Amino acid sequence: MRITLVGAGRVATHLVKALKSQHEIVQVFSRNLKHAQQLAGQVHAQAIDSADQLTSQTDLVIVAVSDLGIADVVGSIAAYLPQNLIVHTSGSTSLIALQQRHQRAGVFYPLQTFSFEREVDWLETPLFVEAAHQQDLTLLTNLANSLSNRVYQYSSQQRQTLHLAAVFACNFSNYCYDMAKQVVDAEQVDFSLLFPLILETAKKATNTDPKQMQTGPAMRGDQNILTMHQALLSQSNRPDLEEVYRLMSEGIFKRHLNKFE
Amino acid sequence: MRITLVGAGRVATHLVKALKSQHEIVQVFSRNLKHAQQLAGQVHAQAIDSADQLTSQTDLVIVAVSDLGIADVVGSIAAYLPQNLIVHTSGSTSLIALQQRHQRAGVFYPLQTFSFEREVDWLETPLFVEAAHQQDLTLLTNLANSLSNRVYQYSSQQRQTLHLAAVFACNFSNYCYDMAKQVVDAEQVDFSLLFPLILETAKKATNTDPKQMQTGPAMRGDQNILTMHQALLSQSNRPDLEEVYRLMSEGIFKRHLNKFE
């Protein structure tokens, strides 16, 4: 397939790396020409920074920009690609939001967290496809199958549910790590001491229902420890961490109340 | 070494399994005799359910019970073991709390989350030892070195900091997984789709500062998605998840505010 990438951020970069061995990247479009050139240079594609340079000689245009940018970007490119399939890569933006601006609309959503620093295991990354037309759905499914063993045709609503859950499972758990690091950093204790715990907790959740795997003072209803921990956070002048500690502990305690009945 | 275990829960069970190849477990004491027998039977130790049956012919008594139980348990056994070294296994209970009830006091704290269902990698599990007397500290350090490559002599205050951080890194991140599962379960979406994301997020945090690895709508300050997600949780009649979503997103946004300046 001939593929055009719009965007040169983390998702676009990882997609280009994943697609290049089996597909041809024809153009990389970014408002920042340097970013476009950096990414396009890796795959001998043309780097462009203006929509009127877009070629219609492409099978698929992937708009890999943040949710906030999708509408504007599609609005600015659709007139130059009236017959082409254009997809976005977002969990929470609906198909209709794109279809309002372009008739041959689709979605190609990888459920993963992308960083410049780390490789992605695409074979294990779930991919969710959706399209306004059946032939485009087939095309996107085939493309997804060329990357991953876990391809699903999901509606916008199902994808939205997944993305909401992903915010809890990924963004919020990462923020828990970040808060843990702030706690140990303030006392010159080494954050890496927590690594075995972090990895084991994640592995457990993928083997057994995390509700059954819950441990800690809140689950045990140990008011002494809860009070002591909140006092420590208060003494450290961290009302933000104290509030998270209180709310999360309350949630865990209520979730496991039946264990004490 | 000859070792007595007081308690037959998750920590005691994993300690017995880890210690048995290099040390002799002489007695397992639990108020529930069946639990004591189940654990003692695995290592040909004596199961007892009464403090007056405790033998003083032991090098170390490990009290592996919850924080709430430590004071009572030590109070009830100390009179029968006046000359013996008694340690607890808690992160948040100080050495002094034990020392007030027994002169030869110590701490043997494994920083890990223990479940009956999963084996523990003891070699990689950080162990923290503390004791009222230097000779006991040496004894505990030697014992810890027989199990793990990561042994540290830490004060009660340092251990407390670690345990507080562990609540964020382990208990709260597990609750995030639990909330994510509740979100997908309510819409009959498969929780296992999130496994690659959960594992990758944890691995990232052990390679790079989690603050640098933060992703998601709150970090980007994407108010549209934040509002939509909160509306979804409100429609699902989950004010508890909505409150967590709001507080965590606010925390993440403020933490990364400088990115938008």
Side-chain angles (χ1 to χ4, degrees), chain B residues 25-222:
Chain B
I25 312 297
V26 285
Q27 292 184 318
V28 175
F29 175 30
S30 170
R31 276 170 299 185
N32 183 318
L33 187 61
K34 268 193 185 168
H35 292 170
Q37 285 168 337
Q38 272 170 0
L39 187 51
Q42 296 175 29
V43 288
H44 311 295
Q46 185 188 8
I48 59 173
D49 64 350
S50 158
D52 59 13
Q53 298 172 277
L54 282 163
T55 176
S56 61
Q57 300 303 305
T58 186
D59 300 307
L60 173 64
V61 179
I62 302 179
V63 176
V65 303
S66 72
D67 289 275
L68 279 172
I70 292 173
D72 276 358
V73 167
V74 173
S76 72
I77 67 173
Y80 300 96
L81 303 160
Q83 308 298 329
N84 293 88
L85 170 59
I86 303 180
V87 303
H88 70 63
T89 59
S90 157
S92 280
T93 296
S94 67
L95 176 65
I96 290 169
L98 205 158
Q99 225 178 327
Q100 286 167 342
R101 288 169 179 81
H102 184 73
Q103 199 260 336
R104 270 189 80 189
V107 180
F108 190 89
Y109 172 52
L111 181 57
Q112 188 48 278
T113 174
F114 296 100
S115 335
F116 286 118
E117 295 86 347
R118 287 178 62 84
E119 294 299 307
V120 169
D121 181 357
W122 281 94
L123 275 181
E124 288 302 311
T125 297
L127 296 179
F128 302 89
V129 294
E130 188 180 9
H133 302 284
Q134 183 57 46
Q135 76 207 49
D136 290 337
L137 186 61
T138 305
L139 181 150
L140 290 174
T141 304
N142 291 341
L143 178 70
N145 281 328
S146 76
L147 294 184
S148 169
N149 292 327
R150 304 177 73 178
V151 176
Y152 306 87
Q153 297 181 353
Y154 259 39
S155 70
S156 290
Q157 196 192 325
Q158 290 172 305
R159 210 173 54 246
Q160 205 176 47
T161 299
L162 265 176
H163 185 230
L164 174 57
V167 168
F168 281 92
C170 165
N171 303 153
F172 291 173
S173 64
N174 186 72
Y175 185 49
C176 290
Y177 307 147
D178 181 15
M179 291 185 285
K181 185 166 188 297
Q182 293 178 63
V183 167
V184 290
D185 282 357
E187 302 288 327
Q188 285 87 48
V189 169
D190 182 5
F191 181 55
S192 75
L193 292 168
L194 294 162
F195 290 175
L197 186 65
I198 286 172
L199 294 171
E200 172 68 6
T201 304
K203 279 184 213 153
K204 269 161 78 159
T206 67
N207 277 325
T208 315
D209 181 354
K211 186 188 177 191
Q212 308 306 325
M213 291 292 104
Q214 188 67 55
T215 57
M219 192 211 68
R220 294 194 306 271
D222 186 335

Side-chain angles (χ1 to χ4, degrees), chain A residues 113 115 118 178 204 207 255, chain B residues 113 115 118 204 207 255:
Chain A
T113 173
S115 334
R118 288 178 60 85
D178 182 15
K204 270 161 75 160
N207 277 326
R255 178 94 169 126
Chain B
T113 174
S115 335
R118 287 178 62 84
K204 269 161 78 159
N207 277 325
R255 178 95 168 122

Side-chain angles (χ1 to χ4, degrees), chain A:
Chain A
M1 283 179 59
R2 290 168 57 83
I3 299 172
T4 301
L5 255 295
V6 179
R10 288 174 300 182
V11 176
T13 300
H14 280 289
L15 273 172
V16 162
K17 279 188 193 168
L19 292 165
K20 67 179 179 186
S21 66
Q22 299 179 68
H23 305 279
E24 182 190 353
I25 311 297
V26 286
Q27 292 184 318
V28 175
F29 175 29
S30 169
R31 277 171 298 186
N32 183 319
L33 187 61
K34 269 195 186 167
H35 291 170
Q37 284 167 339
Q38 271 170 2
L39 187 52
Q42 295 176 29
V43 289
H44 312 295
Q46 185 190 7
I48 60 174
D49 65 351
S50 157
D52 58 13
Q53 298 173 276
L54 282 162
T55 176
S56 61
Q57 301 302 305
T58 185
D59 299 308
L60 172 65
V61 179
I62 302 180
V63 176
V65 302
S66 72
D67 290 274
L68 280 172
I70 292 174
D72 276 356
V73 167
V74 173
S76 72
I77 67 172
Y80 301 96
L81 304 160
Q83 307 298 327
N84 292 89
L85 171 59
I86 303 180
V87 302
H88 70 63
T89 59
S90 156
S92 281
T93 296
S94 67
L95 176 65
I96 290 169
L98 204 159
Q99 224 178 329
Q100 285 168 344
R101 288 170 178 80
H102 184 72
Q103 197 260 337
R104 272 189 77 188
V107 180
F108 191 88
Y109 172 52
L111 180 57
Q112 188 49 279
T113 173
F114 297 98
S115 334
F116 287 118
E117 295 86 349
R118 288 178 60 85
E119 295 298 307
V120 169
D121 181 356
W122 282 95
L123 274 182
E124 289 303 309
T125 297
L127 297 178
F128 302 88
V129 294
E130 189 181 9
H133 302 285
Q134 182 57 46
Q135 75 206 49
D136 290 337
L137 187 61
T138 305
L139 181 150
L140 291 174
T141 304
N142 291 340
L143 178 70
N145 281 327
S146 77
L147 295 184
S148 169
N149 292 327
R150 305 177 73 178
V151 176
Y152 306 88
Q153 297 181 353
Y154 259 38
S155 70
S156 290
Q157 196 192 324
Q158 290 172 306
R159 210 172 56 246
Q160 205 177 47
T161 298
L162 266 176
H163 186 229
L164 174 58
V167 168
F168 282 91
C170 165
N171 304 152
F172 291 173
S173 63
N174 185 72
Y175 185 49
C176 291
Y177 307 147
D178 182 15
M179 290 185 286
K181 184 165 187 299
Q182 294 179 63
V183 167
V184 290
D185 281 356
E187 301 289 327
Q188 286 87 48
V189 168
D190 182 3
F191 181 55
S192 76
L193 293 168
L194 294 162
F195 290 175
L197 186 64
I198 286 172
L199 294 171
E200 171 68 5
T201 304
K203 280 185 210 151
K204 270 161 75 160
T206 67
N207 277 326
T208 315
D209 180 355
K211 186 188 176 190
Q212 309 305 324
M213 292 292 103
Q214 188 67 54
T215 57
M219 193 210 68
R220 295 194 305 271
D222 187 334
Q223 199 56 55
N224 292 347
I225 304 288
L226 296 175
T227 304
M228 190 190 79
H229 280 170
Q230 286 179 78
L232 281 173
L233 293 169
S234 174
Q235 284 158 28
S236 316
N237 200 22
R238 290 302 303 261
D240 55 334
L241 300 191
E242 200 185 338
E243 204 181 343
V244 169
Y245 190 97
R246 185 196 56 71
L247 184 65
M248 298 290 270
S249 295
E250 191 183 287
I252 294 170
F253 179 71
K254 285 185 181 163
R255 178 94 169 126
H256 295 271
L257 251 188
N258 55 343
K259 288 199 182 157
F260 302 102
E261 278 163 3

